[in-house]
Amino acid sequence: MTKTILITGASTGIGRATAEHFQAQGWNVIATMRTPEIGAELAQLDNVLVTRLDVLDQPSIDAAVAEGIARFGAIDVLLNNAGYGAYGPLEAFPMDAIQRQFDTNVTGLLAVTKAVLPHMRAAKSGTVINISSIGGKMTFPLGTLYHGTKFAVEGLSEALHYELETVGIGVKIVEPGMIRTDFGGRSFDFRNDESLEEYQPAVQGLMAAFDSLGGTASAPSVVAEVIWQAATDGTAQLRYTAGEDAAQFMAQRAAQDDATFIGGVKQMLGL
């Protein structure tokens, strides 16, 4: 029987590449996004349903899940991919922007998962794959909000792994490094207040580092292939890194104590 994956944030980047990869492998794909018109080309592919889902809008979540099940009969894999990165001095962020970062990356992920779980629980099978980041295991300066959300994704996913294993549902975490996506554009919320002079050296160092790391970023297809592995390898493996830089950073973080690793990041940023 043909399997089905529901993907959030499928309009571009990792979500789009994953939709195309799974469709090419013969799966049914429920490709969800806030603006379905962006997915017109995806919608032309066989066995692809493009529909609206905004992780901040519960009715849209419920409608997309119901439409996907009505179309394909099941949801075997949920990929929680929708999200963005908020960077900058904490003092530069108004509270509504802080709330939006956590609502999108954490609460929205939980809302979509909660909407799909009754279906998977009834089937006693399924896999939930959450897109975290190497930024869920390590941090850069000025990433208080983004890293806060990704550390949360790591923790909730690991706890959920215990919880859902008892009913036959797997949980996986994919941790990409720097990926050639629009993370630096529409998926990047950078705030700065130049009157906060004390933070400006960190701002300049971070921007230079991101430019440098971006030059060696992996293609979204690299992450799509790792997601495919996580969805189909039949193991209880919890975490998967994606990208050579992710593997290198994770190895360094595991091998070094806090002072050594943080010192290396500061040196890289010239702080």
Side-chain angles (χ1 to χ4, degrees):
M1 185 175 179
T2 302
K3 291 191 173 183
T4 300
I5 182 171
L6 186 151
I7 303 169
T8 65
S11 60
T12 59
I14 293 169
R16 175 67 174 262
T18 303
E20 293 172 344
H21 187 84
F22 275 73
Q23 189 274 341
Q25 298 298 322
W27 280 47
N28 301 319
V29 176
I30 307 163
T32 75
M33 56 199 73
R34 287 180 297 173
T35 309
E37 292 76 17
I38 297 175
E41 289 185 11
L42 268 182
Q44 299 303 311
L45 299 175
D46 291 340
N47 301 323
V48 175
L49 168 65
V50 173
T51 191
R52 181 178 180 273
L53 188 156
D54 181 343
V55 300
L56 303 182
D57 177 15
Q58 187 66 51
S60 78
I61 295 171
D62 295 337
V65 170
E67 185 180 2
I69 294 172
R71 172 75 175 270
F72 298 121
I75 296 174
D76 300 285
V77 175
L78 166 63
L79 177 65
N80 283 308
N81 167 70
Y84 71 98
Y87 267 87
L90 178 60
E91 289 188 64
F93 278 89
M95 281 306 303
D96 62 342
I98 294 172
Q99 189 71 53
R100 181 172 178 268
Q101 173 75 138
F102 279 83
D103 284 349
T104 301
N105 289 11
V106 181
T107 308
L109 178 152
L110 290 171
V112 176
T113 303
K114 192 169 182 290
V116 171
L117 283 182
H119 172 74
M120 289 185 173
R121 180 165 47 81
K124 295 183 172 57
S125 69
T127 304
V128 176
I129 303 175
N130 292 331
I131 298 297
S132 178
S133 166
I134 59 171
K137 304 288 281 185
M138 56 159 286
T139 66
F140 287 118
L142 307 181
T144 300
L145 303 183
Y146 177 70
H147 293 297
T149 66
K150 290 305 184 180
F151 269 65
V153 169
E154 292 279 339
L156 68 87
S157 300
E158 185 171 311
L160 203 57
H161 179 268
Y162 294 107
E163 184 177 324
L164 298 184
E165 188 176 42
T166 62
V167 293
I169 303 169
V171 175
K172 310 272 185 154
I173 308 168
V174 173
E175 301 162 336
M178 290 292 287
I179 306 297
R180 291 198 300 272
T181 69
D182 62 354
F183 185 84
R186 64 193 290 269
S187 295
F188 191 58
D189 179 13
F190 185 78
R191 308 283 180 112
N192 187 28
D193 180 345
E194 292 184 358
S195 71
L196 300 170
E197 297 178 2
E198 297 88 343
Y199 300 124
Q200 298 316 301
V203 169
Q204 294 166 10
L206 182 73
M207 292 297 98
F210 275 8
D211 286 343
S212 175
L213 291 170
T216 59
S218 302
S221 59
V222 170
V223 189
E225 290 169 4
V226 174
I227 293 166
W228 171 258
Q229 178 189 352
T232 62
D233 65 9
T235 74
Q237 181 176 333
L238 177 60
R239 289 182 169 88
Y240 300 74
T241 57
E244 291 183 11
D245 62 332
Q248 292 171 358
F249 272 119
M250 291 297 92
Q252 289 176 3
R253 191 65 185 98
Q256 297 174 348
D257 60 23
D258 288 347
T260 303
F261 185 83
I262 291 171
V265 171
K266 289 168 67 176
Q267 184 176 22
M268 181 176 70
L269 270 60
L271 300 177

mmCIF file of all heavy atoms in Angstrom, residues 99-122:
data_model
loop_
_atom_site.group_PDB
_atom_site.id
_atom_site.type_symbol
_atom_site.label_atom_id
_atom_site.label_comp_id
_atom_site.label_asym_id
_atom_site.label_seq_id
_atom_site.Cartn_x
_atom_site.Cartn_y
_atom_site.Cartn_z
ATOM 1 N N GLN A 99 7.200 36.163 21.103
ATOM 2 C CA GLN A 99 6.095 35.208 21.178
ATOM 3 C C GLN A 99 5.902 34.484 19.856
ATOM 4 O O GLN A 99 5.681 33.263 19.813
ATOM 5 C CB GLN A 99 4.802 35.936 21.563
ATOM 6 C CG GLN A 99 3.635 35.008 21.867
ATOM 7 C CD GLN A 99 3.819 34.266 23.171
ATOM 8 O OE1 GLN A 99 4.064 34.878 24.197
ATOM 9 N NE2 GLN A 99 3.726 32.950 23.129
ATOM 10 N N ARG A 100 6.028 35.214 18.747
ATOM 11 C CA ARG A 100 5.822 34.605 17.433
ATOM 12 C C ARG A 100 6.879 33.545 17.151
ATOM 13 O O ARG A 100 6.578 32.506 16.559
ATOM 14 C CB ARG A 100 5.841 35.677 16.341
ATOM 15 C CG ARG A 100 5.600 35.120 14.937
ATOM 16 C CD ARG A 100 5.440 36.238 13.912
ATOM 17 N NE ARG A 100 5.249 35.698 12.573
ATOM 18 C CZ ARG A 100 6.240 35.469 11.704
ATOM 19 N NH1 ARG A 100 7.491 35.760 12.041
ATOM 20 N NH2 ARG A 100 5.997 34.969 10.516
ATOM 21 N N GLN A 101 8.134 33.803 17.557
ATOM 22 C CA GLN A 101 9.175 32.810 17.323
ATOM 23 C C GLN A 101 8.858 31.490 18.027
ATOM 24 O O GLN A 101 8.946 30.410 17.442
ATOM 25 C CB GLN A 101 10.532 33.352 17.791
ATOM 26 C CG GLN A 101 11.674 32.359 17.770
ATOM 27 C CD GLN A 101 12.233 32.052 16.386
ATOM 28 O OE1 GLN A 101 13.443 31.970 16.199
ATOM 29 N NE2 GLN A 101 11.386 31.874 15.396
ATOM 30 N N PHE A 102 8.447 31.566 19.288
ATOM 31 C CA PHE A 102 8.140 30.344 20.027
ATOM 32 C C PHE A 102 6.820 29.724 19.569
ATOM 33 O O PHE A 102 6.699 28.497 19.504
ATOM 34 C CB PHE A 102 8.141 30.619 21.535
ATOM 35 C CG PHE A 102 9.528 30.635 22.117
ATOM 36 C CD1 PHE A 102 10.315 31.770 22.051
ATOM 37 C CD2 PHE A 102 10.061 29.493 22.702
ATOM 38 C CE1 PHE A 102 11.610 31.773 22.564
ATOM 39 C CE2 PHE A 102 11.340 29.488 23.216
ATOM 40 C CZ PHE A 102 12.128 30.637 23.142
ATOM 41 N N ASP A 103 5.849 30.551 19.219
ATOM 42 C CA ASP A 103 4.571 30.018 18.723
ATOM 43 C C ASP A 103 4.775 29.234 17.431
ATOM 44 O O ASP A 103 4.166 28.187 17.221
ATOM 45 C CB ASP A 103 3.567 31.149 18.482
ATOM 46 C CG ASP A 103 2.956 31.681 19.770
ATOM 47 O OD1 ASP A 103 3.143 31.041 20.824
ATOM 48 O OD2 ASP A 103 2.300 32.734 19.719
ATOM 49 N N THR A 104 5.616 29.746 16.545
ATOM 50 C CA THR A 104 5.827 29.086 15.261
ATOM 51 C C THR A 104 6.672 27.829 15.401
ATOM 52 O O THR A 104 6.287 26.748 14.936
ATOM 53 C CB THR A 104 6.512 30.054 14.271
ATOM 54 O OG1 THR A 104 5.698 31.215 14.102
ATOM 55 C CG2 THR A 104 6.738 29.393 12.921
ATOM 56 N N ASN A 105 7.830 27.953 16.040
ATOM 57 C CA ASN A 105 8.787 26.852 16.060
ATOM 58 C C ASN A 105 8.476 25.772 17.086
ATOM 59 O O ASN A 105 8.935 24.639 16.927
ATOM 60 C CB ASN A 105 10.195 27.385 16.323
ATOM 61 C CG ASN A 105 10.776 28.148 15.148
ATOM 62 O OD1 ASN A 105 10.074 28.463 14.195
ATOM 63 N ND2 ASN A 105 12.059 28.458 15.208
ATOM 64 N N VAL A 106 7.734 26.114 18.135
ATOM 65 C CA VAL A 106 7.484 25.140 19.205
ATOM 66 C C VAL A 106 5.986 24.826 19.339
ATOM 67 O O VAL A 106 5.554 23.699 19.119
ATOM 68 C CB VAL A 106 8.044 25.634 20.554
ATOM 69 C CG1 VAL A 106 7.799 24.586 21.645
ATOM 70 C CG2 VAL A 106 9.532 25.937 20.444
ATOM 71 N N THR A 107 5.193 25.829 19.681
ATOM 72 C CA THR A 107 3.770 25.582 19.911
ATOM 73 C C THR A 107 3.079 25.108 18.636
ATOM 74 O O THR A 107 2.235 24.198 18.677
ATOM 75 C CB THR A 107 3.083 26.848 20.458
ATOM 76 O OG1 THR A 107 3.810 27.328 21.596
ATOM 77 C CG2 THR A 107 1.661 26.550 20.872
ATOM 78 N N GLY A 108 3.436 25.687 17.493
ATOM 79 C CA GLY A 108 2.840 25.262 16.228
ATOM 80 C C GLY A 108 3.193 23.827 15.900
ATOM 81 O O GLY A 108 2.350 23.058 15.417
ATOM 82 N N LEU A 109 4.441 23.447 16.144
ATOM 83 C CA LEU A 109 4.865 22.065 15.926
ATOM 84 C C LEU A 109 4.048 21.112 16.797
ATOM 85 O O LEU A 109 3.593 20.050 16.337
ATOM 86 C CB LEU A 109 6.359 21.949 16.246
ATOM 87 C CG LEU A 109 7.048 20.589 16.132
ATOM 88 C CD1 LEU A 109 8.536 20.775 15.802
ATOM 89 C CD2 LEU A 109 6.930 19.780 17.417
ATOM 90 N N LEU A 110 3.838 21.485 18.040
ATOM 91 C CA LEU A 110 3.042 20.644 18.945
ATOM 92 C C LEU A 110 1.587 20.567 18.493
ATOM 93 O O LEU A 110 0.956 19.510 18.586
ATOM 94 C CB LEU A 110 3.121 21.196 20.374
ATOM 95 C CG LEU A 110 4.472 21.052 21.068
ATOM 96 C CD1 LEU A 110 4.480 21.830 22.381
ATOM 97 C CD2 LEU A 110 4.816 19.590 21.323
ATOM 98 N N ALA A 111 1.066 21.674 17.984
ATOM 99 C CA ALA A 111 -0.333 21.690 17.548
ATOM 100 C C ALA A 111 -0.551 20.754 16.359
ATOM 101 O O ALA A 111 -1.554 20.020 16.300
ATOM 102 C CB ALA A 111 -0.751 23.119 17.181
ATOM 103 N N VAL A 112 0.377 20.779 15.404
ATOM 104 C CA VAL A 112 0.252 19.896 14.238
ATOM 105 C C VAL A 112 0.398 18.436 14.670
ATOM 106 O O VAL A 112 -0.361 17.561 14.248
ATOM 107 C CB VAL A 112 1.287 20.259 13.154
ATOM 108 C CG1 VAL A 112 1.204 19.277 11.991
ATOM 109 C CG2 VAL A 112 1.066 21.684 12.653
ATOM 110 N N THR A 113 1.374 18.174 15.522
ATOM 111 C CA THR A 113 1.581 16.804 16.016
ATOM 112 C C THR A 113 0.341 16.305 16.740
ATOM 113 O O THR A 113 -0.123 15.175 16.508
ATOM 114 C CB THR A 113 2.797 16.757 16.949
ATOM 115 O OG1 THR A 113 3.951 17.255 16.264
ATOM 116 C CG2 THR A 113 3.069 15.338 17.430
ATOM 117 N N LYS A 114 -0.212 17.122 17.598
ATOM 118 C CA LYS A 114 -1.397 16.744 18.376
ATOM 119 C C LYS A 114 -2.584 16.450 17.455
ATOM 120 O O LYS A 114 -3.398 15.560 17.730
ATOM 121 C CB LYS A 114 -1.742 17.857 19.361
ATOM 122 C CG LYS A 114 -2.767 17.504 20.416
ATOM 123 C CD LYS A 114 -2.801 18.595 21.487
ATOM 124 C CE LYS A 114 -3.791 18.240 22.595
ATOM 125 N NZ LYS A 114 -5.188 18.310 22.148
ATOM 126 N N ALA A 115 -2.669 17.164 16.340
ATOM 127 C CA ALA A 115 -3.774 16.951 15.394
ATOM 128 C C ALA A 115 -3.641 15.635 14.638
ATOM 129 O O ALA A 115 -4.650 15.026 14.258
ATOM 130 C CB ALA A 115 -3.842 18.111 14.406
ATOM 131 N N VAL A 116 -2.411 15.184 14.415
ATOM 132 C CA VAL A 116 -2.173 13.956 13.648
ATOM 133 C C VAL A 116 -2.165 12.714 14.536
ATOM 134 O O VAL A 116 -2.511 11.618 14.093
ATOM 135 C CB VAL A 116 -0.841 14.076 12.867
ATOM 136 C CG1 VAL A 116 -0.446 12.742 12.228
ATOM 137 C CG2 VAL A 116 -0.942 15.167 11.808
ATOM 138 N N LEU A 117 -1.805 12.870 15.808
ATOM 139 C CA LEU A 117 -1.619 11.702 16.676
ATOM 140 C C LEU A 117 -2.847 10.794 16.824
ATOM 141 O O LEU A 117 -2.674 9.562 16.835
ATOM 142 C CB LEU A 117 -1.130 12.142 18.063
ATOM 143 C CG LEU A 117 0.351 12.519 18.144
ATOM 144 C CD1 LEU A 117 0.723 12.878 19.577
ATOM 145 C CD2 LEU A 117 1.241 11.400 17.627
ATOM 146 N N PRO A 118 -4.064 11.315 16.958
ATOM 147 C CA PRO A 118 -5.195 10.376 17.099
ATOM 148 C C PRO A 118 -5.289 9.405 15.936
ATOM 149 O O PRO A 118 -5.610 8.227 16.129
ATOM 150 C CB PRO A 118 -6.409 11.307 17.164
ATOM 151 C CG PRO A 118 -5.871 12.592 17.716
ATOM 152 C CD PRO A 118 -4.502 12.721 17.116
ATOM 153 N N HIS A 119 -5.002 9.881 14.727
ATOM 154 C CA HIS A 119 -5.038 9.020 13.544
ATOM 155 C C HIS A 119 -3.945 7.951 13.620
ATOM 156 O O HIS A 119 -4.195 6.766 13.364
ATOM 157 C CB HIS A 119 -4.861 9.878 12.292
ATOM 158 C CG HIS A 119 -4.689 9.097 11.038
ATOM 159 N ND1 HIS A 119 -5.739 8.435 10.426
ATOM 160 C CD2 HIS A 119 -3.587 8.849 10.277
ATOM 161 C CE1 HIS A 119 -5.295 7.819 9.353
ATOM 162 N NE2 HIS A 119 -3.998 8.050 9.234
ATOM 163 N N MET A 120 -2.729 8.351 13.964
ATOM 164 C CA MET A 120 -1.632 7.388 14.064
ATOM 165 C C MET A 120 -1.858 6.406 15.209
ATOM 166 O O MET A 120 -1.563 5.210 15.089
ATOM 167 C CB MET A 120 -0.300 8.122 14.247
ATOM 168 C CG MET A 120 0.189 8.863 13.017
ATOM 169 S SD MET A 120 1.839 9.584 13.289
ATOM 170 C CE MET A 120 2.219 10.179 11.637
ATOM 171 N N ARG A 121 -2.380 6.908 16.310
ATOM 172 C CA ARG A 121 -2.625 6.038 17.470
ATOM 173 C C ARG A 121 -3.662 4.975 17.138
ATOM 174 O O ARG A 121 -3.532 3.810 17.520
ATOM 175 C CB ARG A 121 -3.060 6.881 18.669
ATOM 176 C CG ARG A 121 -3.348 6.088 19.932
ATOM 177 C CD ARG A 121 -3.409 6.997 21.155
ATOM 178 N NE ARG A 121 -4.218 8.178 20.926
ATOM 179 C CZ ARG A 121 -5.552 8.206 20.997
ATOM 180 N NH1 ARG A 121 -6.234 7.104 21.281
ATOM 181 N NH2 ARG A 121 -6.214 9.328 20.786
ATOM 182 N N ALA A 122 -4.690 5.353 16.393
ATOM 183 C CA ALA A 122 -5.714 4.386 15.985
ATOM 184 C C ALA A 122 -5.122 3.320 15.068
ATOM 185 O O ALA A 122 -5.521 2.146 15.121
ATOM 186 C CB ALA A 122 -6.862 5.108 15.287
#
